[in-house]
Amino acid sequence: GSNVTMNPGFEVKSGSFFKAYIAPCSNGGIPTTARAAQEEVLIPHLTEIRPADRRPVQNSNYYTVADGKIIFNIATKGKMEIMGKMTDGSWKTFYPEEVIYPGFYSLPAPNAFTGEVKMKFNKADMQKL
């Protein structure tokens, strides 16, 4: 078909993710979301911490890494990019050029992540707290 329909009551819990694919199945079907190895990295689930008022905590963009989470504040609509250093020394990019709206967000660190992060907003480095 050409669409995915969510029935009433459908929800995705915090800490999990949902993917829907619309494509021909002749190339092997739906890709798996299973983590086959510690080094395999999936795009982690982005959670807005203050969804009720949809506002940032402050009027500046910043991020911090604590307790296995990347927490960040976005003051204006723009494009975000998150790069994380992996245990093998390589850098992986998550949410490249992802459009994001003002708010306060949390993102669980992916598998094999060292805790070292570089974040850009509208191609400029974000301030780390």
Side-chain angles (χ1 to χ4, degrees):
S2 61
N3 61 51
V4 175
T5 303
M6 305 301 145
N7 291 326
F10 174 84
E11 63 181 87
V12 177
K13 301 274 186 197
S14 176
S16 62
F17 58 91
F18 170 78
K19 290 184 180 182
Y21 295 90
I22 299 175
C25 292
S26 61
N27 60 359
I30 297 173
T32 180
T33 57
R35 294 176 187 240
Q38 181 70 11
E39 286 71 36
E40 183 177 350
V41 177
L42 299 174
I43 295 177
H45 178 72
L46 181 66
T47 302
E48 188 171 1
I49 298 174
R50 297 170 46 153
D53 57 14
R54 303 238 178 240
R55 290 184 302 171
V57 175
Q58 295 179 10
N59 290 325
S60 63
N61 298 327
Y62 66 85
Y63 73 96
T64 188
V65 180
D67 300 323
K69 294 180 184 171
I70 304 165
I71 299 170
F72 55 98
N73 188 78
I74 300 296
T76 60
K77 179 183 171 185
K79 291 185 178 180
M80 174 187 70
E81 179 179 46
I82 301 173
M83 293 149 283
K85 188 171 186 181
M86 310 315 285
T87 55
D88 67 2
S90 67
W91 286 85
K92 300 287 184 187
T93 301
F94 310 99
Y95 297 101
E97 297 295 312
E98 180 79 15
V99 173
I100 193 162
Y101 292 85
F104 191 54
Y105 296 90
S106 175
L107 185 68
N111 281 350
F113 175 68
T114 65
E116 192 173 345
V117 173
K118 295 177 186 175
M119 289 187 67
K120 293 184 181 285
F121 188 74
N122 291 331
K123 301 194 186 257
D125 290 337
M126 284 178 62
Q127 175 186 1
K128 181 179 180 183
L129 294 183

